[in-house]
Amino acid sequence: MSTRFRSQTRWLPATAFLALLILSSGHFFSEWVRSEDPADNYLEVLHQADARSNKFLNRQRAEFFGLRYRTATTNSDKFRLFHQSADEWIKAGDISKGLLRLDSLLSALPTEGRDQIVDVEEALRWSQMIGGLRLGEQQNCVAMHGLDSCLFPIGGSGVHQQPEGMQLAIENLDWSLARSPDRLDLRWLRNLASMALGNWPDGVPEPLRLSRELFASSHDVGRFRDVAPQVGIATVGLAGGASLEDFNGDGHLDLFVSSWGPTDPVHYFESDGEGQFKDRTESMGLSSITGGLNITHADYDNDGDADLLILRGAWLGSAGHHPNTLLRNDRVKFTDVTVASGLVSYHPTQTADWGDYDLDGDLDLFIGNESTSSEVHPCELFENRGDGTFVEVSQEVGLHHIAYVKGVAWGDIDDDGDLDLYLSTMASSNALYENLGPAAEGERPRFKDITARAAVESPQLSFPTWFWDYDHDGRLDILAGSYGSFEESMLEGVVADYLGMPTADEGIRLYRNLGDGQFEEVSEKTGIRHTVLPMGANFGDLDGDGWLDAYFGTGQPGLSTLVPNRMFRNAAGKRFEDVTTSGGFGHLQKGHGIAFGDIDHDGDQDIFATMGGAYEGDGYANILFENPGHGHHWLTLRLVGTRSSRDARHARVQIEVKTKSGPRTIHRVIGTGGSFGASSSQLEVGLGAATEVIAVTVRWPVSGHARYLGFSLDGTYIIEEGEKEPVAVQTVPFRLGGTTEKPLEED
């Protein structure tokens, strides 16, 4: 047994056998009574923090357990509370303090009769193993952040220079594996710890060894490198959202990032157009804005700039009655208009989507809230009145949905010109609502639940979702990401998937739109039905071939859930290829806000990711993957609505191009996509090996179809609703973290 963190004082007599037996039942954490004092003040609710009902306030919980320990009267209570305190200190990021307590507990175990308390020792060693893993991450990946840090499979400069943590983890893993050699989670972590020490695979006993081939990519997509430190956006935070958009109207993509702790600051970074970002948080009036698990943006007031919505309260139940925040973009600052707009409500949520459901030319807002057996929080539909205010109409239109909602997406599934709605939920069927339009002139549209007919109810434990036309047939398909299974540990499900073994997880579901109100479930057929535990997720075009690819961030909060974020390349709409390893996307930290965008104007999409977990000590620096380029042609379109919403949200775009093998049509929808993160609303389209752009057809949400000519390859254009011709925009490529380059020459 390790003594490197052993306390000098043994507080618990080694003979406290009865206390240990009580602990062996496995009840290590109490279920705390939820707060009965609902906050009715905006700011008080925003900053509400109660360790009794919020399991993520780890430092407060550690101190609370420590206080309870000092007043406990029985050895069993003392043992339990001391163990709880140790676990919470590890989650809070004070690893040494937690490990000292665990070492003290292990030292107190009696030498005689250990087989009778093996469950107790196993629980303590599991905690110590978790502490060792997190110590290794903290000392190396966080404190010594480099290009290969925490990238799976770990190697190169990612090998830990401070080995103490992983050595401790291996010591405890080997003890546990000797007793439970078939546990997939232990086997996985043993291989990972060996990678971190630079002795994998030979450093893992052969029966436990995982093969390199398990993680090999089937396609080389080129290595994407993290340049966040070089460009000034590598702030350290927890789980949070991200919005990538040109917020100040200078033609360059800016970045807004959140971290979910109630008092965690937001960050607003403006691109200088030369490869660097400047932190403008304070000057834009955002210093008082805190928290936020998800961010989305849209031009809700039709004034030509993107506004921001910050979503809060998810996962916290009765402690999650935090109001969301609507920030109006006034170019020189952001103004909190939550109260003035009528959007104040007190529900736990982290998901919403903007869309013009009634086709009146302004954007409405659907918010998916989290209902449980003890608390009902119906979803909300806020109709935009067109004067800067909203009215809630969900019950009137048939969208008063009650479930534990984790994903929301608007999309026109039946090609009738109006928006339908898909909801991804936990522990219940997902839901698809068809927009029936108004029953009579002057009335609001009505919605009908068509889930059963469409057969799109799975997964039952679902998370991120979106509409996309993955196969370019002109019809919107649905993706819904499974969050794992309650029937097995989250980690075990991921490992089983890698090994090709059965798993209880339903996997990612892809539903192909058949065009008649029916969908075909094609996840297995297309190779995307994997167990990846996605929270943050989004889609874009990795290699500029015109096909939409998908990035899944594995945000499951558990400190033992060290699994890579995953990237799947769309191979011509037929198959999805795992390119995680070849692209360098397999980050072991928790992936949340994901946003795709051509930040450097070179015609390919870079990828930003908000990293960090839910526990207070599970922070990590945000990352920006610079696209290495793939030599493909491209087209960037900035749509401006006049009768439709100003940012042309949900406009359908059809791009016709010539190739050497014949004509090709690429289908896109204007939107920001994803979960936790929002991509730029400008349309960045890879054209692959196109030799000419024939035409672009836009179906504007209000005015309908319009066809445009006069596009060159590798150009940026503004298309305004009602105008006949596009307007070319001059852009200058630059190196991220580097210098300005001359414009790309046309073929």
Side-chain angles (χ1 to χ4, degrees), residues 144-151 157-158 223 225-227 230 584:
M144 303 169 65
H145 180 65
L147 283 175
D148 297 323
S149 295
C150 272
L151 284 182
S157 63
R223 189 75 168 184
R225 301 285 183 182
D226 177 17
V227 296
Q230 286 78 19

Side-chain angles (χ1 to χ4, degrees), residues 254-303:
D254 312 303
L255 182 65
F256 191 96
V257 183
S258 69
S259 175
W260 90 309
T263 60
D264 290 354
V266 300
H267 293 278
Y268 171 63
F269 301 100
E270 280 188 356
S271 171
D272 66 0
E274 297 181 351
Q276 299 289 330
F277 285 83
K278 298 177 180 179
D279 192 332
R280 296 282 315 280
T281 306
E282 184 175 357
S283 63
M284 292 295 285
L286 295 167
S287 298
S288 64
I289 305 297
T290 59
L293 192 54
N294 190 2
I295 307 170
T296 185
H297 62 264
D299 186 3
Y300 82 92
D301 53 3
N302 281 336
D303 65 350

Side-chain angles (χ1 to χ4, degrees), residues 30-87:
S30 302
E31 181 68 29
W32 298 107
V33 179
R34 293 175 175 146
S35 175
E36 297 180 355
D37 301 319
D40 56 7
N41 179 274
Y42 180 76
L43 291 178
E44 287 181 1
V45 175
L46 178 62
H47 298 291
Q48 177 180 302
D50 185 354
R52 295 170 299 173
S53 57
N54 186 342
K55 67 179 182 179
F56 299 105
L57 294 174
N58 307 114
R59 183 169 292 274
Q60 292 184 37
R61 288 171 67 83
E63 292 172 346
F64 180 78
F65 287 131
L67 181 63
R68 291 283 302 275
Y69 157 72
R70 288 190 289 273
T71 60
T73 58
T74 67
N75 281 330
S76 64
D77 285 342
K78 284 181 176 289
F79 194 101
R80 172 176 58 85
L81 291 164
F82 207 68
H83 188 186
Q84 290 175 319
S85 175
D87 282 343

Side-chain angles (χ1 to χ4, degrees), residues 479-657:
L479 183 139
S482 172
Y483 184 59
S485 169
F486 291 138
E487 299 177 25
E488 62 189 358
S489 80
M490 301 289 189
L491 179 53
E492 285 179 319
V494 172
V495 184
D497 182 75
Y498 266 114
L499 293 171
M501 299 170 60
T503 171
D505 177 42
E506 293 180 83
I508 298 167
R509 294 298 179 94
L510 179 60
Y511 295 102
R512 181 173 178 264
N513 192 335
L514 299 177
D516 56 357
Q518 304 288 313
F519 288 79
E520 177 191 8
E521 205 276 295
V522 295
S523 314
E524 197 74 43
K525 182 190 299 184
T526 59
I528 203 170
R529 191 171 176 175
H530 288 283
T531 299
V532 298
L533 312 182
M535 281 194 178
N538 217 324
F539 58 93
D541 188 355
L542 286 176
D543 50 6
D545 64 354
W547 299 96
L548 291 173
D549 316 300
Y551 181 32
F552 298 95
T554 54
Q556 207 279 329
L559 294 180
S560 66
T561 313
L562 288 171
V563 296
N565 299 301
R566 304 279 290 277
M567 181 73 81
F568 293 93
R569 174 183 179 265
N570 186 344
K574 296 180 172 56
R575 296 282 301 175
F576 285 88
E577 304 167 331
D578 188 339
V579 294
T580 302
T581 300
S582 69
F585 298 110
H587 216 287
L588 290 169
Q589 300 302 300
K590 316 296 186 184
H592 288 92
I594 312 296
F596 287 72
D598 183 10
I599 296 173
D600 48 9
H601 299 303
D602 63 353
D604 50 40
Q605 291 190 306
D606 312 294
I607 305 165
F608 177 85
T610 302
M611 309 301 290
Y615 296 127
E616 288 179 336
D618 199 8
Y620 198 78
N622 299 324
I623 57 179
L624 175 61
F625 291 114
E626 182 182 22
N627 197 314
H630 299 83
H632 289 143
H633 291 296
W634 53 273
L635 189 67
T636 296
L637 303 175
R638 300 173 183 171
L639 271 61
V640 179
T642 53
R643 295 177 60 193
S644 305
S645 67
R646 184 70 178 266
D647 59 7
R649 188 97 166 190
H650 296 292
R652 302 280 286 273
V653 181
Q654 179 178 297
I655 302 166
E656 302 166 62
V657 299

Side-chain angles (χ1 to χ4, degrees), residues 338-378:
T338 315
V339 175
S341 67
L343 284 185
V344 175
S345 61
Y346 299 94
H347 304 289
T349 188
Q350 98 329 257
T351 184
D353 196 16
W354 297 91
D356 185 6
Y357 92 100
D358 52 2
L359 297 177
D360 64 353
D362 49 39
L363 294 177
D364 314 295
L365 176 65
F366 187 91
I367 298 178
N369 294 316
E370 296 178 348
S371 290
T372 65
S373 58
S374 58
E375 289 198 2
V376 175
H377 297 279

Side-chain angles (χ1 to χ4, degrees), residues 328-348:
R328 187 184 67 215
N329 187 350
D330 297 327
R331 290 291 175 99
V332 296
K333 66 174 183 177
F334 287 91
T335 302
D336 187 342
V337 294
T338 315
V339 175
S341 67
L343 284 185
V344 175
S345 61
Y346 299 94
H347 304 289

